[in-house]
Amino acid sequence: MTKKRLTVGLLALCAVVAVEAQDDIWRSDSLQEVVVTGTGTRHLLKNAPVQTEVITSKMLRQYGGNSLADILGGLSSSFAFSEGDMGSQIQMNGLGNSYILILVDGKRLHGDNGGENDLGLIDPHNIEKIEIVKGASSALYGSDAIAGVINIITKKHDEGLSLESTTRYDIYNGLQLHDGIGFSWGKWKSYTNFQSQQSDGWQNTSTEDPHQTEYLITDSKNKTVNKNAKMQLSERLTYQANKDLELYADGSIYWKRIYRPTNGTHPGVDKRTYDMRYNNASASVGGKWQPSKGNTVTLDVDWNRHAYYYDFTALTLTDGYVDGYFTHYFPYYPGQAQLQSDQRRIMAHLKGVFTLPKQNRLSLGAEYRYDWLKAPNRVEGGKATDNTEALYAQDEWNAASWLNITGGLRLNRNEQFGLYLTPKLSAMASMGDLILRATWSQGFKSPTPKELHYRYVRDMNGTYLFLGNTDLKPQTSNYFSFGAEYTWGGLTASATAYHNQVDKMIALVTIPNADAPIDLYTQYQPIKTRQYKNLESAKTWGCDVNVRYRIGKEWTAGMAYSYLDTDAQFYDTENDVLQNVIIDGMAHHKGSCFVMWNHNISSAYRLGVGLYGRISSKRYYQLNGDGKGYQLWRLSTTHDILQDKESSLNIEVGVDNIFDYVDRTYHGLHLGTTTPGRTFYASLILRFNRGKKLSNNIKSNFKQQSNEED
């Protein structure tokens, strides 16, 4: 009871001095935040025609998150996460992974596997800021951007020599290392980034769901989050050919392994005879040409690979293709590996931004995308390909000093589904301290090769079949939003209402076993068959409310709240009825809040303290139970010491999940959160910078005004 009263009191404190965590708008006496994601062009945040939320570098540093999922879940009320072995299941305002486009410096993240995103590809210690645009953005970004866009802006190292090292440790043997070296030499600039992470994982319960096992199991070895390790090395090289032309090349390699404990001879429980391994690689080349002021042309060509393997830890008899032939009960021995999927993508993107008369700014672009999937044991025929071309145009028109109207149109051509047009129209009216924004946009998403051709068999106390569907149709959407933002002194408040209707939404649904392919039905006699299907329709609607207030130069506090409701319909062919179904993972209420204080204790020591809360109501699912509601609180402290013109030493110490909340729902059922109990962590950050711009950045970190970015 005491904990509950204290929690309510802390939430009330946050509400009294509320803040919009995303919109850290600087005042007129300092630079203002610049954003690019909403329109693909640069705008001051307060003047962005499309509503954009920003998690700034100051917020990132004070919060001390250990992953992108931790950061987004803790600093925004619009997201929900479910961590799994294959990656993170994200939900953004009611829609999941496949409808959320994640960009890194404006480029698509490649790492989707099993419908989940491996956010470990993003080094949390190399993020400068995060820009979030909600709603369909297909007119500008193409397929996948139906729920919205998350753009990860990485740190830039432009001048001189820069060395940095971050070491973070928590009580679950979670060790994170980040090392970076950047330098410039004449016309050349280079930045090399290395990250390494490992964790022993944790187990919130040792009990298996009794409905999925032959008898009650209370000594399961299954962990809530398994032991894991990952490493990544990336390099970016830039050449300034002349004052108008910049060329670049970058690349990365990534390795990750999930260590899965065996459950011995327990019937009905996954025996875990293999670990999971991921090998990724990427390479890009491109350039930016600025022939005159206000005009820019960019070209990017990217290649990405995401490969997923089973690394066997015990003798395993499995069905699969060996040397091109399907074999029953083929033996794999410890130390051997089996490819599950190899996803590769080539993209080329040509874009021009031009300043025109009559207060117009025109963006023109062309894209080509080729997807190749090899999955001998998971895709019918073993391989599948897909390619898409697109042309798009966008005009930003300042019709008056107080009115901006932005319109865009994209023409997509997919080799299997033909032509599709996706328009977008937004308007912003600025009336002094009050800003109004409205958006209508359409989205488009073609079925993926996996959704079309998937054939996967899994043993979970009986055989489950997961099937693709070559009769799938592309998904389309209509998104509407209206928002108002008011600024007065240190107070900023905003509210945005939205409605998103997705037609022919693709989801895994249960079908009669007899509808499975006859060869699979005869061989496996499944107890349940799931297949990708087009839902008749799906709707999400809700409201996001954010308020922010700054108290003097040292205090900042705030709260954000999101209300969400969903409705989906699917035609049940077996019973000849239209059924209402739930969009998995939906929670009606989510919220976040924080209070931050920063103070110069002396000329050589600056202290920062932050208190953060995140709250969610129950999450709904069609199968395997609902996820419990939860609230989690975090205390972080930052200690800036030994700072001079060229070097700095920073220490971060904190405790996550202050009140030690643990969701002990049985294995096999959905969790509200996979968070472990109370977790203590500490980080040590060392930086050395030699160069005019970098030295000035170090100095600005230590200024008293807390509204300046580090």
Side-chain angles (χ1 to χ4, degrees):
M1 191 65 170
T2 303
K3 289 183 179 179
K4 182 177 289 187
R5 288 178 178 173
L6 179 58
T7 301
V8 173
L10 290 171
L11 181 59
L13 174 63
C14 291
V16 169
V17 282
V19 64
E20 183 177 26
Q22 307 96 305
D23 292 346
D24 193 19
I25 303 177
W26 295 357
R27 301 300 153 202
S28 58
D29 60 347
S30 57
L31 294 174
Q32 297 193 25
E33 192 74 45
V34 176
V35 297
V36 298
T37 308
T39 61
T41 55
R42 295 169 61 86
H43 289 275
L44 298 180
L45 177 60
K46 68 175 185 178
N47 298 328
V50 177
Q51 183 73 41
T52 304
E53 299 176 357
V54 177
I55 298 176
T56 66
S57 58
K58 179 183 175 184
M59 290 293 303
L60 291 167
R61 182 171 180 273
Q62 187 75 60
Y63 184 72
N66 67 347
S67 67
L68 181 62
D70 182 22
I71 292 167
L72 292 175
L75 295 177
S76 175
S77 62
S78 299
F79 295 95
F81 291 86
S82 298
E83 296 298 318
D85 285 341
M86 300 177 72
S88 298
Q89 293 181 342
I90 314 173
Q91 192 179 84
M92 178 180 180
N93 284 357
L95 296 176
N97 289 52
S98 59
Y99 303 98
I100 303 169
L101 178 61
I102 300 179
L103 306 174
V104 179
D105 293 326
K107 298 180 183 179
R108 287 172 173 261
L109 177 71
H110 183 67
D112 176 62
N113 191 45
E116 300 167 328
N117 291 297
D118 186 357
L119 300 183
L121 288 162
I122 300 170
D123 183 353
H125 304 291
N126 195 39
I127 301 175
E128 176 67 23
K129 65 179 179 178
I130 302 172
E131 298 180 4
I132 303 164
V133 176
K134 299 174 186 176
S137 300
S138 295
L140 191 61
Y141 292 106
S143 185
D144 304 337
I146 286 181
V149 179
I150 305 169
N151 192 8
I152 312 300
I153 311 297
T154 60
K155 295 178 180 178
K156 300 299 183 290
H157 307 267
D158 294 334
E159 293 186 19
L161 175 65
S162 172
L163 304 173
E164 59 183 22
S165 176
T166 300
T167 303
R168 188 184 196 274
Y169 184 80
D170 65 45
I171 61 174
Y172 293 94
N173 201 27
L175 178 63
Q176 294 185 350
L177 302 175
H178 159 77
D179 296 290
I181 176 170
F183 68 89
S184 61
W185 187 270
K187 295 183 177 182
W188 293 92
K189 297 177 184 178
S190 169
Y191 183 69
T192 306
N193 185 78
F194 172 78
Q195 68 151 328
S196 173
Q197 300 182 33
Q198 68 178 43
S199 173
D200 285 345
W202 54 85
Q203 185 185 54
N204 289 348
T205 181
S206 60
T207 303
E208 295 284 339
D209 175 25
H211 295 94
Q212 298 185 24
T213 57
E214 295 183 7
Y215 58 89
L216 184 64
I217 296 173
T218 59
D219 61 345
S220 171
K221 292 183 174 58
N222 278 336
K223 289 189 174 184
T224 306
V225 172
N226 283 321
K227 180 179 178 180
N228 60 85
K230 65 188 74 170
M231 289 186 294
Q232 184 182 46
L233 179 65
S234 60
E235 163 69 21
R236 180 178 177 89
L237 190 64
T238 304
Y239 177 68
Q240 191 72 43
N242 54 53
K243 66 182 182 65
D244 300 325
L245 178 63
E246 179 183 85
L247 305 175
Y248 79 89
D250 62 30
S252 69
I253 53 175
Y254 173 84
W255 173 91
K256 175 182 175 181
R257 182 159 180 160
I258 305 294
Y259 300 90
R260 297 164 20 112
T262 180
N263 264 297
T265 59
H266 281 311
V269 181
D270 191 346
K271 301 302 185 296
R272 304 293 179 91
T273 59
Y274 53 86
D275 294 336
M276 297 177 174
R277 174 169 52 90
Y278 304 86
N279 287 354
N280 285 35
S282 68
S284 304
V285 294
K288 180 170 68 174
W289 177 46
Q290 294 180 292
S292 59
K293 184 178 180 180
N295 300 311
T296 304
V297 178
T298 59
L299 173 65
D300 299 286
V301 180
D302 309 316
W303 172 87
N304 292 271
R305 182 198 184 208
H306 180 79
Y308 162 44
Y309 298 86
Y310 285 170
D311 282 347
F312 291 95
T313 56
L315 176 63
T316 305
L317 301 177
T318 181
D319 293 344
Y321 288 86
V322 179
D323 296 329
Y325 297 96
F326 189 82
T327 304
H328 294 293
Y329 307 115
F330 183 84
Y332 283 90
Y333 298 94
Q336 291 186 310
Q338 182 189 46
L339 175 67
Q340 300 302 305
S341 69
D342 184 353
Q343 303 177 76
R344 304 188 188 188
R345 186 191 67 203
I346 296 174
M347 288 195 68
H349 183 197
L350 177 64
K351 177 182 177 181
V353 178
F354 308 100
T355 300
L356 303 179
K358 308 295 185 182
Q359 297 295 310
N360 285 269
R361 181 158 53 173
L362 179 66
S363 298
L364 299 173
E367 284 186 359
Y368 172 77
R369 173 174 173 172
Y370 176 77
D371 288 280
W372 178 86
L373 170 64
K374 178 181 179 182
N377 303 298
R378 293 173 177 262
V379 169
E380 185 177 4
K383 294 181 181 179
T385 62
D386 186 51
N387 67 71
T388 302
E389 303 88 34
L391 299 172
Y392 67 88
Q394 174 186 267
D395 184 44
E396 302 171 57
W397 175 39
N398 292 315
S401 60
W402 55 272
L403 178 63
N404 176 277
I405 299 175
T406 299
L409 184 66
R410 186 184 190 94
L411 176 64
N412 297 277
R413 192 208 73 88
N414 182 270
E415 66 171 333
Q416 300 183 62
F417 303 103
L419 297 174
Y420 275 84
L421 280 171
T422 52
K424 180 173 184 175
L425 182 65
S426 64
M428 181 190 73
S430 180
M431 296 173 284
D433 294 332
L434 178 65
I435 297 176
L436 302 177
R437 294 182 178 91
T439 296
W440 165 71
S441 56
Q442 289 188 342
F444 165 80
K445 178 175 172 56
S446 59
T448 65
K450 185 186 103 175
E451 291 168 339
L452 292 167
H453 305 290
Y454 208 52
R455 288 175 62 143
Y456 176 52
V457 181
R458 184 175 179 186
D459 184 7
M460 299 182 294
N461 193 28
T463 301
Y464 284 63
L465 295 181
F466 297 89
L467 303 174
N469 185 354
T470 55
D471 293 328
L472 290 174
K473 301 293 189 295
Q475 302 162 93
T476 58
S477 71
N478 274 282
Y479 175 82
F480 303 88
S481 71
F482 178 79
E485 180 180 79
Y486 179 73
T487 302
W488 181 67
L491 173 70
T492 300
S494 69
T496 302
Y498 64 88
H499 172 67
N500 204 350
Q501 178 167 335
V502 184
D503 293 321
K504 298 183 175 62
M505 184 177 183
I506 295 176
L508 269 174
V509 300
T510 302
I511 64 172
N513 290 326
D515 288 350
I518 188 64
D519 58 330
L520 296 179
Y521 178 77
T522 301
Q523 179 180 348
Y524 294 105
Q525 294 294 309
I527 63 171
K528 185 167 290 187
T529 301
R530 302 268 283 168
Q531 186 176 37
Y532 287 102
K533 292 277 191 178
N534 287 109
L535 302 181
E536 298 299 327
S537 66
K539 302 175 183 178
T540 69
W541 61 93
C543 182
D544 296 333
V545 179
N546 301 276
V547 187
R548 124 185 229 287
Y549 189 62
R550 170 172 295 152
I551 309 169
K553 297 180 179 180
E554 297 181 342
W555 287 89
T556 310
M559 184 177 70
Y561 168 75
S562 292
Y563 172 78
L564 170 68
D565 206 351
T566 68
D567 181 31
Q569 292 183 321
F570 170 68
Y571 187 74
D572 184 348
T573 56
E574 183 177 16
N575 299 305
D576 196 28
V577 295
L578 194 65
Q579 291 185 338
N580 289 325
V581 296
I582 299 170
I583 296 181
D584 280 350
M586 180 204 74
H588 285 303
H589 308 281
K590 294 192 295 293
S592 64
C593 67
F594 72 87
V595 176
M596 289 194 318
W597 175 73
N598 289 272
H599 181 69
N600 285 346
I601 304 298
S602 70
S603 60
Y605 175 49
R606 180 178 177 84
L607 172 65
V609 180
L611 176 65
Y612 304 85
R614 47 178 163 155
I615 301 170
S616 175
S617 62
K618 179 170 66 175
R619 301 183 67 189
Y620 295 91
Y621 293 89
Q622 297 180 48
L623 299 174
N624 300 325
D626 297 325
K628 296 178 181 178
Y630 62 88
Q631 51 180 295
L632 302 170
W633 294 88
R634 179 193 199 104
L635 178 67
S636 68
T637 65
T638 58
H639 310 263
D640 301 339
I641 54 180
L642 302 178
Q643 298 208 44
D644 58 32
K645 294 182 178 180
E646 294 187 342
S647 60
S648 65
L649 169 63
N650 310 98
I651 298 174
E652 299 173 0
V653 179
V655 53
D656 197 11
N657 196 358
I658 297 172
F659 301 117
D660 201 26
Y661 171 76
V662 178
D663 188 343
R664 302 196 186 279
T665 301
Y666 297 157
H667 288 296
L669 300 177
H670 288 291
L671 302 175
T673 174
T674 59
T675 304
R678 186 181 298 113
T679 304
F680 295 91
Y681 68 89
S683 298
L684 176 66
I685 303 142
L686 301 171
R687 294 188 179 93
F688 173 80
N689 300 275
R690 176 168 291 177
K692 182 178 179 181
K693 180 180 291 187
L694 297 173
S695 296
N696 288 338
N697 286 343
I698 289 294
K699 293 177 184 178
S700 68
N701 283 348
F702 205 59
K703 288 187 178 180
Q704 275 195 353
Q705 295 184 1
S706 59
N707 62 349
E708 292 189 351
E709 301 291 309
D710 49 331

